[in-house]
Amino acid sequence: TSQNGSSAYLPLFVSLQPVEATDDAFWDQFWADTATSVQDVFALVPAAEIRAVREESPSNLATLCYKAVEKLVQGAESGCHKEKERQIVLNCCRLLTRILPYIFEDPDWRGFFWSTVPGAGRGGGDEDDDNARPLAESLLLAVADLLFCPDFTVQSHRRSTVDTAEDIHSIDSCEYIWEAGVGFAHSPQPNYIHDLNRTELLKLLLTCFSEAMYLPPSSDSSNTNPWVQFFCSSENRHALPLFTSLLNVVCAYDPVGYGIPYNHLLFSDYREPLVEEAAQVLIVTLDYDSSTSSSPTVDGTTTGTAMDDVDPPGPDNLFVNYLSRIHREEDFQFILKGVARLLSNPLVQTYLPNSAKKIQFHQELLVLFWKLCDFNKKFLFFVLKSSDVLDILVPILYFLNDARADQSRVGLMHIGVFILLLLSGERNFGVRLNKPYSVRVPMDIPVFTGTHADLLIIVFHKIITSGHQRLQPLFDCLLTIVVNVSPYLKSLSMVAANKLLHLLEAFSTTWFLFSAIQNHHLVFFLLEVFNNIIQYQFDGNSNLVYAVIRKRNVFHQLANLPTDAQSIHKGLQRKKKTPEPISRTNSQDGVSMEGSRPAAPAEPGTLKTSLVATPGIDKLTEKSQVSEDGTMRSLEPEPSQPPPEGPSPSAASDAEPWSAEASHPRRDRRRLSSASSSGQWAPTPDWVMSWKSKLPLQTIMRLLQVLVPQVEKICIDKGLTDESEILKFLQHGTLVGLLPVPHPILIRKYQANSGTAMWFRTYMWGVIYLRNVDPPIWYDTDVKLFEIQRV
């Protein structure tokens, strides 16, 4: 076929002479070939030749695009009943997938698809040029029609001859949804030809949407993608069935199949490429900045059919709109079970290596899960209502732990942490973490017996102490999550308690505190964790109390932190001798779990895409105070220009870690340790005093004052060196009436903002760029949204 195929593409790329649009014999050569694949088209149409035609013979390229779209429109009109028509549609589809990125990379061509083509190829038809649709719209509507084309992409409902074939315009595509699930009960017979055809059409759709890759990142969120905007508007009569088909195909997919080991090696799985493509198209259509609009179900009080029809109508993007209005319990259950099943797939360890199929699209699934929680608050509450949320938590912790040393997976680290930050803003998440952790997923962490909270703390400790340098901007987020859940943690294990104290020890060394303007925030977060547990969960937490007593000198050193210039200078000198930000020593890492592999750095040469910076934690979250009845009220945000450094009136309570930071450029908080060497900023006695005076140490100092003498007395009286006796004593001790009045619980809830919306856009397109290697749709084109880098 290649021989035959290559001859078809020669005319265009050899003759740069303009060819008349009416010369059908010439143009038909491009789609007449019966046996090409998308890979063939990529091989036969080299990048250099597409660019040459674009520069030297633009009219030929324009005619080719116009003619290919025209063929798709004709195929959609006729319903593709003949094999030959289907072949033409698929070939045009592949050709457009190949050419579109080269049109997007050239700013002069970018408007081409949004213009109408006056008279071209209409054989001088009489139609009015005014009402002609832009080429992009014709293309998108044709693809939408073709995705519900009986006997091509969906099962025909009629069992008869071609004469009474379904008229593509009269069919109700809601009856042809691809898979049972949300709003559709019938599961059609699987048909691998239909799956292959859907996959090719979705690939073209994704390529249309990828114009976003050729625009540099901008903070202007009104920058909507015109292709997505039109496709997800009411102009597309298939918007609802297509949204439902994509969502159901993804959530119903079971890669393990019937549980027969090695099954995937014997049978090619035609569903998986479709599921991947569906997941990618879905997250791109849901790329929407929710911070600029009101989401319809924030109050969580709507009822109705599968999709609520309530005011406000919500966003014009119908995919976002439908997603935000799903509300039936059984639909939520179907989505959550499906996402959890797929996220857990890479963790499913069997005794036979490679016996189960491993999926590769967990990053797309995490973006999808994020969108579900962000756009549909009822879904978020449903997820947290039962311990099913732990089926999402454990895979995320697994990915975080596994990717912590790999520079090419820093985006995966961020999305995992963002999802946990979003969940941690809800009280139920902290409560769920108390469930004992018994699933033994092999992870490169110390063995422990305890709860999901212990697992979370141990993994976070591992990320902070043995991840790579580029994860440092995430430390604030990691500790914010721990602060948010801490008031609800009933009983930490000894391993987790020691990890928290090891972090405090590492973060409260003088060189660390003095070497960057925001480092002391980490100490404030950890003190807040200890205060929350001591004040609200003292009874079950003898392990933590014991660890605090053992490491009491850390708290005394903090209380006596020197603030004079000479000591600050000396503290920074010490840093030069210990370049590593956090040592692994005295962290008492036990043996790692059996069957686990250590987290590995990226292979040299691995491709990765750059990401925009994420907003600081103060922009990412807003503070809410938990009242006694468990309800939350949002606290007034502090003024954007904070007063000059000095104790602020609100700092009387134990809970005010923020120093004036809004005035400092973001690059200061980029790296933990190198801020002072860049000459940007140097610590002063006034600066140290300004936050040292706010360190919330009262509760812990009171605890030590009461308990240390008692513990010492027991040890002397009974000659004890055995910690189990001391723990027994602490279990029965009480501090009722001895501690300061409990502070109100402060939760920092994630808030939508355009900074994270932009981050998600660059991350999502970066994942899609790197994952589409066969064929390599965007490879070596002039992408502007991110840089492609080698590790």
Side-chain angles (χ1 to χ4, degrees):
T1 60
S2 296
Q3 252 40 58
N4 163 1
S6 57
S7 62
Y9 291 112
L10 286 175
L12 175 73
F13 298 113
V14 171
S15 111
L16 293 173
Q17 301 305 312
V19 179
E20 283 301 315
T22 47
D23 183 355
D24 286 341
F26 176 82
W27 296 109
D28 286 349
Q29 302 173 83
F30 287 96
W31 23 89
D33 193 2
T34 47
T36 48
S37 67
V38 68
Q39 285 77 6
D40 289 342
V41 172
F42 271 68
L44 294 169
V45 185
E49 302 202 357
I50 303 175
R51 290 188 175 117
V53 174
R54 187 182 71 195
E55 306 308 320
E56 310 296 320
S57 182
S59 69
N60 281 2
L61 185 60
T63 307
L64 180 66
C65 291
Y66 170 72
K67 290 294 228 183
V69 172
E70 189 180 51
K71 287 290 173 202
L72 289 181
V73 171
Q74 286 167 5
E77 295 281 325
S78 73
C80 283
H81 300 303
K82 301 193 184 70
E83 185 51 43
K84 184 162 188 279
E85 291 178 284
R86 293 175 197 163
Q87 203 51 56
I88 288 175
V89 162
L90 289 172
N91 282 338
C92 290
C93 204
R94 293 159 185 158
L95 196 59
L96 286 167
T97 301
R98 179 61 172 143
I99 290 172
L100 274 167
Y102 297 90
I103 288 192
F104 294 153
E105 74 175 359
D106 184 338
D108 296 339
W109 276 82
R110 213 165 279 145
F112 168 70
F113 269 85
W114 294 97
S115 57
T116 49
V117 186
R122 294 214 175 103
D126 323 317
E127 299 154 58
D128 216 333
D129 278 335
D130 293 346
N131 63 16
R133 279 192 178 281
L135 205 50
E137 295 187 4
S138 306
L139 170 57
L140 291 171
L141 293 176
V143 170
D145 277 339
L146 288 164
L147 286 168
F148 291 98
C149 187
D151 288 328
F152 179 52
T153 49
V154 291
Q155 251 12 103
S156 171
H157 288 187
R158 306 208 180 161
R159 298 203 174 82
S160 57
T161 57
V162 172
D163 307 338
T164 60
E166 285 134 307
D167 174 11
I168 193 127
H169 294 290
S170 65
I171 71 168
D172 174 5
S173 45
C174 285
E175 293 171 14
Y176 290 86
I177 286 169
W178 301 349
E179 186 56 79
V182 176
F184 194 67
H186 165 66
S187 188
Q189 198 51 42
N191 179 320
Y192 80 95
I193 300 284
H194 294 174
D195 277 1
L196 291 174
N197 294 342
R198 291 164 176 172
T199 304
E200 298 231 34
L201 287 160
L202 290 178
K203 217 182 260 314
L204 172 57
L205 199 51
L206 195 60
T207 310
C208 292
F209 295 160
S210 72
E211 186 180 3
M213 283 197 212
Y214 297 90
L215 302 168
S218 81
S219 52
D220 177 16
S221 51
S222 59
N223 211 339
T224 43
N225 181 330
W227 295 83
V228 171
Q229 194 176 7
F230 179 79
F231 190 77
C232 298
S233 73
S234 50
E235 295 266 355
N236 176 1
R237 71 189 182 97
H238 304 293
L240 177 59
L242 188 58
F243 167 74
T244 314
S245 294
L246 295 172
L247 184 63
N248 291 354
V249 157
V250 172
C251 295
Y253 178 56
D254 183 0
V256 180
Y258 303 105
I260 310 163
Y262 299 105
N263 198 15
H264 66 290
L265 301 180
L266 306 177
F267 303 100
S268 184
D269 177 356
Y270 294 99
R271 204 17 85 106
E272 189 183 24
L274 174 65
V275 174
E276 290 207 2
E277 216 63 56
Q280 293 180 358
V281 168
L282 204 47
I283 60 178
V284 168
T285 52
L286 296 170
D287 176 20
Y288 179 79
D289 183 357
S290 59
S291 66
T292 56
S293 67
S294 60
S295 147
T297 59
V298 171
D299 62 344
T301 54
T302 48
T303 52
T305 54
M307 308 287 172
D308 287 338
D309 12 72
V310 287
D311 292 325
D316 301 333
N317 176 327
L318 292 178
F319 279 37
V320 174
N321 201 330
Y322 296 142
L323 183 81
S324 66
R325 290 181 6 212
I326 298 171
H327 69 282
R328 290 183 189 160
E329 295 259 315
E330 59 269 34
D331 290 342
F332 287 157
Q333 188 62 31
F334 164 74
I335 294 171
L336 180 58
K337 280 269 179 275
V339 173
R341 179 194 323 114
L342 291 169
L343 284 178
S344 314
N345 162 272
L347 287 57
V348 176
Q349 295 284 344
T350 60
Y351 295 105
L352 306 164
N354 305 326
S355 66
K357 188 177 181 70
K358 290 245 188 296
I359 61 156
Q360 301 297 324
F361 54 97
H362 48 274
Q363 300 193 83
E364 293 92 321
L365 285 165
L366 290 171
V367 174
L368 178 60
F369 183 75
W370 168 270
K371 301 274 178 201
L372 281 156
C373 292
D374 195 21
F375 295 156
N376 190 322
K377 288 298 171 265
K378 281 196 188 158
F379 177 75
L380 176 63
F381 299 144
F382 177 84
V383 169
L384 293 163
K385 210 169 68 175
S386 74
S387 52
D388 288 351
V389 65
L390 303 175
D391 299 335
I392 300 283
L393 169 75
V394 172
I396 288 178
L397 291 175
Y398 172 85
F399 293 131
L400 290 179
N401 188 56
D402 189 54
R404 67 176 192 268
D406 184 340
Q407 292 267 5
S408 69
R409 289 157 78 196
V410 71
L412 171 62
M413 298 292 296
H414 276 75
I415 178 137
V417 172
F418 283 158
I419 289 174
L420 298 183
L421 178 65
L422 180 70
L423 295 175
S424 76
E426 308 295 332
R427 171 184 179 274
N428 266 354
F429 181 64
V431 173
R432 299 286 160 237
L433 290 179
N434 290 308
K435 188 176 177 181
Y437 176 66
S438 49
V439 214
R440 287 284 171 239
V441 176
M443 283 166 86
D444 173 28
I445 54 171
V447 181
F448 71 97
T449 306
T451 65
H452 285 76
D454 295 308
L455 177 69
L456 178 134
I457 287 168
I458 291 166
V459 169
F460 283 10
H461 172 270
K462 199 84 168 163
I463 295 168
I464 291 171
T465 57
S466 64
H468 56 81
Q469 290 283 323
R470 292 195 44 216
L471 299 180
Q472 291 181 354
L474 281 176
F475 290 2
D476 275 352
C477 267
L478 292 168
L479 293 187
T480 297
I481 294 164
V482 181
V483 174
N484 281 349
V485 301
S486 59
Y488 311 110
L489 304 184
K490 292 195 181 336
S491 170
L492 286 184
S493 69
M494 191 58 95
V495 178
N498 285 332
K499 298 295 176 209
L500 286 175
L501 278 135
H502 175 243
L503 289 179
L504 182 70
E505 219 173 348
F507 289 148
S508 58
T509 61
T510 48
W511 74 258
F512 182 76
L513 284 173
F514 296 158
S515 63
I517 194 153
Q518 79 294 350
N519 284 356
H520 61 278
H521 293 171
L522 299 173
V523 169
F524 276 88
F525 284 139
L526 285 164
L527 292 176
E528 207 174 325
V529 170
F530 297 138
N531 287 336
N532 281 343
I533 293 177
I534 291 165
Q535 288 279 18
Y536 292 98
Q537 298 290 349
F538 179 82
D539 286 353
N541 272 298
S542 51
N543 288 329
L544 183 75
V545 174
Y546 179 65
V548 167
I549 291 173
R550 277 188 48 225
K551 292 281 184 189
R552 55 189 177 278
N553 61 325
V554 179
F555 299 97
H556 290 302
Q557 279 165 6
L558 267 176
N560 299 316
L561 188 73
T563 54
D564 58 289
Q566 195 185 354
S567 304
I568 293 174
H569 181 69
K570 212 161 112 185
L572 288 171
Q573 290 311 304
R574 201 170 304 163
K575 170 190 158 196
K576 297 207 170 84
K577 293 176 206 146
T578 49
E580 269 305 297
I582 293 166
S583 70
R584 302 290 302 277
T585 50
N586 48 13
S587 143
Q588 298 160 327
D589 254 7
V591 183
S592 273
M593 293 173 67
E594 197 181 338
S596 65
R597 291 193 322 262
E603 292 284 317
T606 308
L607 289 179
K608 66 187 180 80
T609 53
S610 61
L611 292 162
V612 293
T614 50
I617 193 76
D618 50 326
K619 303 272 187 311
L620 264 182
T621 56
E622 62 178 5
K623 291 187 197 155
S624 298
Q625 197 166 314
V626 181
S627 325
E628 302 209 345
D629 61 359
T631 56
M632 290 196 194
R633 61 182 185 84
S634 195
L635 297 179
E636 285 303 301
E638 281 117 73
S640 57
Q641 274 305 309
E645 288 286 10
S648 60
S650 60
S653 81
D654 266 6
E656 198 49 50
W658 301 116
S659 63
E661 62 174 20
S663 52
H664 300 294
R666 185 183 292 153
R667 64 172 167 266
D668 283 353
R669 57 153 66 98
R670 210 41 80 66
R671 294 177 302 279
L672 273 182
S673 43
S674 53
S676 55
S677 58
S678 63
Q680 285 281 323
W681 168 86
T684 62
D686 284 352
W687 171 77
V688 178
M689 280 302 297
S690 72
W691 54 261
K692 179 190 168 181
S693 60
K694 301 177 200 169
L695 283 168
L697 288 164
Q698 303 86 320
T699 302
I700 294 170
M701 288 311 192
R702 184 79 187 117
L703 172 136
L704 292 173
Q705 198 185 350
V706 174
L707 292 179
V708 170
Q710 297 182 4
V711 170
E712 283 177 340
K713 186 172 186 317
I714 296 176
C715 293
I716 294 165
D717 289 355
K718 302 198 173 167
L720 277 185
T721 48
D722 177 20
E723 54 183 48
S724 60
E725 285 288 326
I726 301 170
L727 283 169
K728 210 174 287 175
F729 161 73
L730 291 174
Q731 267 158 13
H732 299 107
T734 174
L735 290 175
V736 175
L738 296 171
L739 291 177
V741 178
H743 54 281
I745 295 174
L746 266 193
I747 302 290
R748 292 177 184 80
K749 286 171 82 91
Y750 167 80
Q751 57 171 352
N753 59 81
S754 47
T756 33
M758 194 62 229
W759 184 89
F760 271 97
R761 184 173 304 161
T762 53
Y763 169 59
M764 168 183 80
W765 279 115
V767 168
I768 291 171
Y769 176 98
L770 292 173
R771 300 255 300 103
N772 282 275
V773 288
D774 184 26
I777 301 181
W778 300 281
Y779 192 68
D780 271 349
T781 58
D782 188 12
V783 171
K784 295 277 195 301
L785 184 62
F786 45 76
E787 290 168 29
I788 294 94
Q789 303 158 338
R790 281 190 189 277
V791 173

